[in-house]
Structure formats: C-alpha cells, structure tokens
Amino acid sequence: MNDKSTWAKIAVEHDGTPTLFCGSFSTKTFYIYTINGNQIKREIKQLGNN
C-alpha cells in the first residue's frame, strides 16, 4: 500500500476490542484486522470491477 489513495481507520468496540480498517482505492483491496487478546484476525475484501 505505497500509493497515495490508501486510507486507514481504527475503531474500538464497546467491549474494548480494537479493529483496524485499511485499504487502497486504486487496487480496490481492503483489509480488516480484528485484535482479540493475543490473536489477530485478518480479512481481505476485494471490490468488483464497475
């Protein structure tokens, strides 16, 4: 994610669980990282071509 059209956002759930959202508009790829204890779950979302 070294292009200028990337973004990131951090959200915290009511129970204190942090979630990191980041992505690239040029590649239409988005990553969601959820941290729970010492485990990190990563989800990758790819948007379709319009």
Side-chain angles (χ1 to χ4, degrees):
M1 284 209 240
N2 291 329
D3 61 50
K4 293 183 181 186
S5 61
T6 59
W7 58 271
K9 181 177 181 176
I10 297 173
V12 179
E13 297 293 329
H14 295 293
D15 65 357
T17 302
T19 302
L20 172 65
F21 301 90
C22 55
S24 170
F25 292 114
S26 62
T27 63
K28 297 182 180 179
T29 304
F30 301 91
Y31 302 90
I32 303 168
Y33 296 90
T34 305
I35 302 146
N36 193 355
N38 61 353
Q39 299 290 320
I40 299 173
K41 176 184 171 188
R42 182 175 84 164
E43 294 178 61
I44 301 172
K45 305 289 183 181
Q46 184 75 38
L47 294 180
N49 293 334
N50 293 333

